Structures are given as structure tokens and as C-alpha cells.
Amino acid sequence: MDFVNDIKNSVSSATIENFSQFFGEKSSDVNSGLQLSLKAFMAGLLKFSATYQDVKGILGILNDGGHTGEIFKNLENFSTNNEKTQLLITIGNNIVNHFLKNSSNDVVEKISKIAEVRKTSASSLLSLAAPLVLGYIGKRVKENNLDVSGLKNWFSDISDSVFQSLPPAISNIFPVKKEVKKSNYTAPVVPEKITPVKEKIKVEKPKSQKSSVNWGIIIPWLILGVVGIFALGYWFKNKIKEKENIGLTPVFKEKEVELRPEDFL
């Protein structure tokens, strides 16, 4: 259901003309600005109603403020009186500040640019839209006998259409965070805890022990081999010396005889 069309059908063209004279703006621009204001305020209200407790607070405001849709019955005659129009704007401004808080200034600026109206007119149109939206919701609550759960469900049903109908420049001011169901988290987490990576690490560790050489047996044999090589070398060395000693024959140097000339005579 397009709630903006429902509200707009309750706002006659004569009412729009009265508002345009009050603001000193073109009636077409006032009409455009009012539609943007209705959607923008509803978007802010939906952002405010994220939890069950928030919706309960909205329902309390509707009941305490007397927002039952009676405002639409005499709105045309109401708009002909500037003092009553100003009073409605003042009441609506308080409502806007309560729900939109610091976002209201940004919304007013965007409405002013898109609808091509002054910022003061955009602010007043947003203030007028607030009691109209609450009056429409209050009327729906009364007619359908909605409790907190019923009102929250209706807000959920219209949420996407409200934000899609707004220009991005305004909808981006109200980023709505949807509630995440707890059940979505519990089931997938359990299998992820058993990771095959850890088992791979445990299997790979013994690989470093595959080169298991029994050095306790090999080392003594190596030592014996080295000792044997040295012993064999020492034996060959002695044998060579013995052979050299046997092959040597003593050489006796004969005494040189000096020959004299007398020996040849």
C-alpha cells in the first residue's frame, strides 16, 4: 500500500494552494516538496522503529498525542487560517526533532534543492508532514486494532517501498540496519571449527624422522675403519724402510795412494 497516495488523497488541491500562498511558493513546488517531506519523515520514523521497544514508544506517542486521523477532516479549512497553519508547523517541528534529530537539517537541504523551494519553506513542509504521517498511522492502528507487533510488521512491509520511492540523496541519510536473526549464526559455525589443516600438520611432522639412520652402529665401524687405515699405512711405511735398509751395501772408500816420481823409476 502506498501510504503517500493515501495521505495525498486526503490533502485537497485547495489545501496545497493555501499552503503555497502561506509560503509564497509555487503550488507545484509545494506539492512536490510535501510529497518528499511525507516520504522523508516516514523513512526517519522507520529508522527510529528498529526494535520492539521503539515501536512501543511510537504507539504510546500516537495514543498520548491523539493522532487518530482527525486532522484530515478539517485540514482544508485549517489551512485557510495562517495562525493555525503556523501552530501546526510548530507542533510538527517538535515531532521532527524528536524522530529525525540531527538528520533533519540534511533532509531540509535536500528537499529544498529537489523541490526548488526555499529552505524555510522546506523546513515548514517537513514539519507539516510529521503530524500528517502520525495521523495516518494512528488512523490505521485504530481501524485495524494494531498492537505493537502488528504495527512493527506493517512497518517492515512498507519499509522497502518507502526507501525505494525516495531519491538516493534523501534515502542515504537514513541507513536502516535490519535486525539479524540469531539462528543464522549458530548452524554454520559448528562445522567450521573442525578444520582439516590441523590434521595435515600432525601427519606431516613425522616426515622429518624418515631419515632414521642408526648412527650408534655406524659410528664405531667408521672409527675402526679409520684406525685400520692408519695401521695399514704405518705397516707399509715400516716395510718400505726395511727394504731400503736391505738393499744398501756398505761402500768402503779405498785409501788414496799418493804416487811419487820415484815409484816409476
Side-chain angles (χ1 to χ4, degrees), residues 100-111:
L100 271 59
K101 301 186 185 302
N102 297 331
S103 301
S104 59
N105 292 331
D106 294 334
V107 174
V108 167
E109 185 177 351
K110 300 303 180 182
I111 292 174

Side-chain angles (χ1 to χ4, degrees), residues 36-263:
L36 283 173
S37 298
L38 292 170
K39 295 176 183 179
F41 179 77
M42 189 63 184
L45 192 66
L46 291 173
K47 180 185 177 182
F48 189 88
S49 62
T51 66
Y52 184 91
Q53 194 64 29
D54 293 335
V55 177
K56 185 177 180 180
I58 293 173
L59 193 59
I61 291 174
L62 294 176
N63 295 328
D64 296 339
H67 299 284
T68 57
E70 296 294 325
I71 188 174
F72 295 107
K73 292 182 178 180
N74 297 317
L75 185 60
E76 184 173 333
N77 293 330
F78 198 86
S79 64
T80 58
N81 190 314
N82 291 341
E83 292 181 0
K84 290 182 179 180
T85 300
Q86 185 59 54
L87 178 61
L88 186 61
I89 291 172
T90 302
I91 295 172
N93 185 59
N94 293 331
I95 298 173
V96 169
N97 291 334
H98 176 74
F99 288 107
L100 271 59
K101 301 186 185 302
N102 297 331
S103 301
S104 59
N105 292 331
D106 294 334
V107 174
V108 167
E109 185 177 351
K110 300 303 180 182
I111 292 174
S112 175
K113 289 182 179 179
I114 297 172
E116 297 182 352
V117 295
R118 294 186 298 272
K119 285 186 179 181
T120 53
S121 300
S123 178
S124 297
L125 285 170
L126 184 61
S127 296
L128 284 173
L132 294 179
V133 171
L134 292 186
Y136 174 79
I137 296 174
K139 180 182 178 182
R140 184 176 181 82
V141 168
K142 184 179 178 180
E143 290 176 350
N144 295 276
N145 195 24
L146 297 178
D147 56 4
V148 178
S149 298
L151 183 58
K152 193 174 189 309
N153 291 336
W154 181 68
F155 282 162
S156 299
D157 292 340
I158 67 171
S159 179
D160 290 340
S161 62
V162 169
F163 284 97
Q164 289 173 5
S165 65
L166 276 170
I170 297 179
S171 62
N172 290 337
I173 300 174
F174 306 108
V176 177
K177 295 181 179 180
K178 296 183 178 180
E179 291 180 311
V180 182
K181 297 180 180 179
K182 293 181 180 179
S183 58
N184 293 338
Y185 289 92
T186 53
V189 173
V190 176
E192 291 180 358
K193 290 181 180 179
I194 305 172
T195 56
V197 179
K198 291 184 179 179
E199 294 182 359
K200 285 183 180 180
I201 295 172
K202 290 180 180 179
V203 174
E204 290 175 358
K205 281 184 179 179
K207 290 183 180 179
S208 60
Q209 299 177 359
K210 283 186 177 180
S211 60
S212 56
V213 180
N214 198 340
W215 292 102
I217 298 174
I218 294 175
I219 289 175
W221 283 103
L222 288 175
I223 294 173
L224 289 174
V226 172
V227 172
I229 291 171
F230 276 104
L232 187 62
Y234 182 76
W235 181 79
F236 275 110
K237 186 177 180 181
N238 289 337
K239 281 289 184 182
I240 292 170
K241 284 184 179 182
E242 289 178 2
K243 288 181 180 181
E244 289 178 352
N245 290 335
I246 294 171
L248 290 176
T249 55
V251 178
F252 300 98
K253 190 176 182 180
E254 294 182 0
K255 188 177 180 181
E256 293 182 2
V257 181
E258 294 182 3
L259 296 180
R260 292 174 294 184
E262 293 86 359
D263 297 329

